[in-house]
Amino acid sequence: MNSATTQGKAALELDGLRKSFGKTEIIRGVDLSIGDGERHAIIGPNGAGKSTLFNLITGRFPSTSGKVRLNGQDLAGLAPFQINRMGLSRSFQITNIFPKMTVFENVRCSLLWARGYKYSFWHMVSRAPDLTEAAEAILEQINLTERRDLPAGVLSYAEQRALEIGITMAGGANVIMLDEPTAGMSHSETDYIVDLIRKVTEGKTLIMVEHDMGVVFGLADRISVLVYGEIIATGRPEEVRANPKVQEAYLGAALEAEH
Amino acid sequence: MTDTTQKAALSRPPIITLSNAMPWIVATVFLALMPVIFPSNSAITIMNQMAITIIFALAYNMLLGQGGMLSFGHAVYMGVGGFVCVHVMNYVEDFGVPLPLPVLPLFGGLFGMGLALIVGSFSTRKAGTVFAMISLGVGELIAACSVIIVAFFGGEEGISGDRTYGLPVFGVEFLQQIDVYYLIAFWLLLSALLMYLFSRTPIGRMANAVRDNPERAEFLGYSARWVRFYSFVASGFFAGIAGGLFAINYEIVTEENLNLAQSGTILLITFLGGVGFFFGPILGAILFTLLQTVLSLQTELWALYLGALFVVTVMFFPGGLAGLIMMHTMPLKFGKLGSLVGPYLKTLVPGAIGILGLAAALEIVFHLRHAALGDSEMTLFWTTFDSHSVAPLAIAVIAAVGGFWLAKRAAPGMAEAYHAANTPRGGSV
Ligand SMILES: Nc1ncnc2c1ncn2[C@@H]1O[C@H](COP(=O)(O)OP(=O)(O)OP(=O)(O)O)[C@@H](O)[C@H]1O
Ligand SMILES: [Mg+2]
């Protein structure tokens, strides 16, 4: 798998990426190359800038300087919807769904662009069996079939998290970015979601922010450790775990907390 | 309108099933029968007005309810559609172009859409306050133009035309109101159906998504701005159709048809009916037209009552009339609707008496202050009395206070009954 990162072409490349909010620099020069088909985890203490890094990559915020390339293409100046159309889909740390629409509608909407419906006003969504089937299959996968016709806003927290992931993966994007997908889930829910993530990201590129070290070490091909806006280490899980700098800055404390 | 039965194609669900065609069949029959039940000219005039307002309100709700865009200037698109149609009417008459009247509203639609295309290109970049303010500005701007560009808007008198200009269509000359009624009813059905279908398309669905959470929609590949733009343009088209029908019905279009007051009225109508459901604006338009035509004959204060109704709706029933009706789907499903009748009557009857009492008091005071000197006789609720004597006012005030007091006392019981009716099993009656 890691051969992809050394020989294969990169799915995502960050080049001297920086971001300041006012005077404070939050992302302080990040270089990272994530291979096609790689599962990459980004870990680091609270406030390190992990979510900000996601926001820079996906076009939510403009970067102060530096470059982001998706499959070799520069993303500078592109809006989130343009980046999404290039095959990148993300989830949010703070649940970001369509609260007044039904669970089914949430998922169906996330399929529309990816399936080529674009701004069509000549298709009836209810008459597109491919949409209905795909949306129902996703509901089945995220265990929300029984909640199908409820407004998404009334779901429990864990259910909304599952929906968030479902929406992100529905379109079948090639690069999937998940910001703390298991936060707030119980052990069994976490296990289930991790299995699901593993299954649907088969052959795809996954970039994931995660605090649960069990999840990280179970899923990731490579790990980057972000501390105060800088990547202090990148490598295979065992390399990162053994890295004294990482031990000192973050992992020691985090692993202790696990046990 | 014919609802041809079509065979289900391939593995797709059938295009028309009886259950989803039913409302449209009922509507068609209903519209066909209305002039038979109410054949008087004044009734048909009201129904024409109603039907035009329904189209406009549905078009407006494509923005407000479906797309989350609050416009303060939507009358502009209907008005421009109307002006264009009067001009086309006159042009066709002067040059003898063989254009049948029934297709005329299409011109209104196209020009409404054209204007929406131009305005929407910059106004839909942002939703919320920015959109609302731009709509207000454009509304004011075009209303101001109507005084400046007299050739098109006709200044204060407006532009009038003659709908009987052309060749009779299948022998119909559109001399009579009833002919116009069926023309409007046809366009009402067609427009309502198309607007309904629009809400089921990918762009219609995404309009809801963008309304709920524009940012997330962007991360699913949709530009919130373009989604809003397409809804806006479609809405402009149907508003223009309504304008064209207005021109045909009244044969005159003036600045009043596109000014801010008119824009405010359509917002009010749509909200009263309920923005959350497709049929909400239809109810709003019917209710409003009735109030406007019937109530305005009875009292000069009708606008005051309408304003109060609007405020009460916004404060207590944000779902409007449609929301109020849909609140009862659960009790209906549980077969508990009957248990609500008693508690509702206990609250609503005194409430209604209170409202009538309050209205009577207002009317008496209004008469007292504004009637010509020496004219102290007034008629209220089929009773004639002296507005300067104390007794009628006292009775009105007592009815108001007493009614509201009784209603307030019964309200908790009503709430309890409603709650019980929404509980599947058990729950006291
Ligand atoms: N829009 C913003 N404006 C100003 N400051 C911001 C903004 N977004 C993030 N920050 C700041 O940037 C820093 C990094 O935030 P970020 O959310 O990226 O951290 P994180 O690594 O995702 O943390 P956590 O593990 O808690 O999610 C924080 O100090 C935060 O206050
Ligand atoms: Mg974060």
Side-chain angles (χ1 to χ4, degrees):
Chain A
M1 200 52 86
N2 59 330
S3 59
T5 62
T6 46
Q7 304 158 11
K9 65 183 172 55
L12 192 73
E13 290 164 282
L14 310 183
D15 197 351
L17 201 60
R18 287 173 184 276
K19 177 69 183 177
S20 306
F21 290 112
K23 280 200 197 106
T24 39
E25 193 169 45
I26 300 295
I27 299 296
R28 305 189 297 164
V30 168
D31 300 294
L32 182 63
S33 174
I34 296 170
D36 201 9
E38 176 181 343
R39 292 196 183 107
H40 197 102
I42 296 171
I43 62 174
N46 291 105
K50 304 179 295 293
S51 297
T52 304
L53 195 60
F54 264 40
N55 290 336
L56 294 182
I57 295 169
T58 58
R60 199 185 198 190
F61 300 151
S63 54
T64 309
S65 67
K67 270 196 175 17
V68 180
R69 274 188 296 271
L70 179 64
N71 299 319
Q73 262 184 293
D74 192 354
L75 299 185
L78 294 185
F81 66 89
Q82 293 166 310
I83 296 171
N84 177 272
R85 290 173 195 176
M86 292 166 66
L88 183 149
S89 181
R90 70 165 290 186
S91 76
F92 292 79
Q93 182 175 358
I94 298 164
T95 304
N96 203 346
I97 56 178
F98 305 106
K100 281 193 267 176
M101 301 188 346
T102 65
V103 174
F104 175 76
E105 289 261 26
N106 267 267
V107 176
R108 187 166 62 186
C109 279
S110 57
L111 287 163
L112 289 174
W113 191 277
R115 301 218 162 208
Y117 286 94
K118 305 193 171 174
Y119 297 111
S120 159
F121 53 87
W122 55 91
H123 290 95
M124 294 287 118
V125 283
S126 58
R127 286 185 32 74
D130 58 323
L131 284 178
T132 311
E133 270 164 35
E136 276 169 354
I138 286 160
L139 287 184
E140 195 66 51
Q141 285 184 323
I142 55 176
N143 276 341
L144 289 179
T145 302
E146 303 211 326
R147 301 286 198 222
R148 186 183 189 279
D149 295 318
L150 286 180
V154 307
L155 297 185
S156 73
Y157 177 79
E159 287 170 333
Q160 292 195 5
R161 292 302 299 163
L163 181 59
E164 173 80 41
I165 295 168
I167 290 174
T168 305
M169 300 186 308
N174 260 320
V175 177
I176 290 180
M177 299 177 65
L178 303 175
D179 197 349
E180 304 202 14
T182 70
M185 284 186 179
S186 71
H187 265 294
S188 60
E189 286 162 345
T190 300
D191 289 347
Y192 184 82
I193 284 294
V194 169
D195 273 345
L196 177 64
I197 292 172
R198 184 177 290 124
K199 211 162 59 194
V200 298
T201 57
E202 197 62 60
K204 295 182 176 178
T205 309
L206 171 71
I207 304 151
M208 182 173 65
V209 171
E210 185 56 61
H211 279 299
D212 185 326
M213 288 307 134
V215 172
V216 169
F217 285 103
L219 208 54
D221 300 319
R222 290 202 307 157
I223 297 172
S224 291
V225 185
L226 189 73
V227 178
Y228 291 121
E230 283 175 307
I231 290 184
I232 59 166
T234 293
R236 308 228 307 257
E238 56 276 18
E239 293 165 9
V240 168
R241 204 201 301 255
N243 186 321
K245 245 181 8 182
V246 177
Q247 291 282 348
E248 183 191 339
Y250 174 58
L251 213 51
L255 279 176
E256 250 159 52
E258 278 285 294
H259 303 119
Chain B
M1 301 282 299
T2 52
D3 276 299
T4 47
T5 43
Q6 300 203 12
K7 289 273 164 284
L10 307 167
S11 67
R12 289 162 183 245
I15 294 180
I16 297 171
T17 61
L18 191 64
S19 68
N20 62 28
M22 212 53 198
W24 302 98
I25 296 171
V26 171
T28 309
V29 172
F30 183 77
L31 284 172
L33 289 183
M34 277 308 272
V36 180
I37 305 169
F38 302 103
S40 77
N41 245 336
S42 59
I44 290 174
T45 306
I46 293 178
M47 290 189 286
N48 285 355
Q49 171 67 31
M50 224 176 243
I52 294 168
T53 312
I54 290 174
I55 299 179
F56 188 26
L58 284 173
Y60 186 75
N61 205 39
M62 289 177 95
L63 299 183
L64 184 61
Q66 311 283 337
M69 285 171 271
L70 173 61
S71 167
F72 290 122
H74 212 52
V76 158
Y77 306 92
M78 175 171 172
V80 164
F83 276 110
V84 166
C85 283
V86 185
H87 282 295
V88 173
M89 237 190 259
N90 289 333
Y91 181 87
V92 165
E93 189 176 23
D94 294 345
F95 296 92
V97 188
L99 179 81
L101 188 73
V103 301
L104 191 64
L106 207 54
F107 285 84
L110 290 176
F111 277 81
M113 184 166 101
L115 182 62
L117 217 78
I118 296 167
V119 176
S121 68
F122 55 86
S123 75
T124 55
R125 271 169 218 258
K126 291 264 168 353
T129 315
V130 177
F131 175 85
M133 290 303 125
I134 294 177
S135 74
L136 185 69
V138 170
E140 181 61 27
L141 188 122
I142 291 183
C145 280
S146 66
V147 200
I148 301 164
I149 311 173
V150 179
F152 183 75
F153 296 102
E156 274 182 16
E157 302 94 79
I159 303 274
S160 45
D162 176 6
R163 65 172 174 246
T164 61
Y165 61 78
L167 309 162
V169 184
F170 302 118
V172 180
E173 289 182 72
F174 298 102
L175 268 170
Q176 292 177 317
Q177 280 291 88
I178 183 77
D179 301 335
V180 177
Y181 170 84
Y182 283 110
L183 189 154
I184 294 176
F186 166 79
W187 276 101
L188 167 60
L189 276 174
L190 184 65
S191 309
L193 182 64
L194 288 176
M195 283 188 263
Y196 177 74
L197 292 179
F198 181 87
S199 74
R200 321 312 297 170
T201 61
I203 182 77
R205 297 286 81 207
M206 285 315 293
N208 286 3
V210 166
R211 171 199 67 196
D212 277 9
N213 189 346
E215 178 176 63
R216 188 53 155 141
E218 295 244 333
F219 285 95
L220 297 175
Y222 280 90
S223 154
R225 181 246 177 120
W226 289 113
V227 170
R228 281 192 290 262
F229 175 75
Y230 290 121
S231 297
F232 190 77
V233 169
S235 174
F237 176 78
F238 290 106
I241 297 264
L245 292 170
F246 185 96
I248 291 173
N249 189 42
Y250 293 97
E251 301 182 295
I252 181 165
V253 182
T254 68
E255 183 264 348
E256 272 182 35
N257 295 114
L258 49 66
N259 64 18
L260 293 182
Q262 189 63 24
S263 296
T265 303
I266 201 63
L267 163 60
L268 198 136
I269 290 172
T270 309
F271 205 90
L272 272 183
V275 298
F277 298 93
F278 181 79
F279 66 94
I282 300 179
L283 301 182
I286 294 173
L287 177 72
F288 177 86
T289 314
L290 282 178
L291 285 178
Q292 189 187 30
T293 48
V294 178
L295 206 59
S296 69
L297 287 179
Q298 307 294 325
T299 165
E300 285 179 66
L301 296 181
W302 74 277
L304 176 81
Y305 301 131
L306 195 72
L309 181 64
F310 183 65
V311 172
V312 169
T313 306
V314 172
M315 287 176 63
F316 301 108
F317 313 103
L321 210 51
L324 218 52
I325 292 171
M326 296 310 276
M327 268 171 66
H328 294 89
T329 46
M330 282 321 232
L332 181 69
K333 217 158 77 186
F334 302 142
K336 289 188 167 185
L337 223 44
S339 69
L340 288 174
V341 175
Y344 274 17
L345 286 179
K346 261 188 233 163
T347 315
L348 300 182
V349 169
I353 291 172
I355 290 168
L356 291 178
L358 184 63
L362 284 170
E363 293 288 337
I364 292 169
V365 171
F366 182 74
H367 189 269
L368 200 63
R369 304 295 298 245
H370 291 91
L373 210 63
D375 172 19
S376 65
E377 194 168 84
M378 73 177 288
T379 305
L380 208 59
F381 304 129
W382 307 279
T383 2
T384 306
F385 52 85
D386 178 1
S387 67
H388 286 61
S389 65
V390 180
L393 186 59
I395 292 173
V397 170
I398 288 168
V401 174
F404 286 135
W405 182 73
L406 282 175
K408 194 164 188 293
R409 226 177 51 147
M414 178 172 82
E416 210 169 280
Y418 176 75
H419 186 76
N422 277 285
T423 323
R425 266 174 297 278
S428 58
V429 172

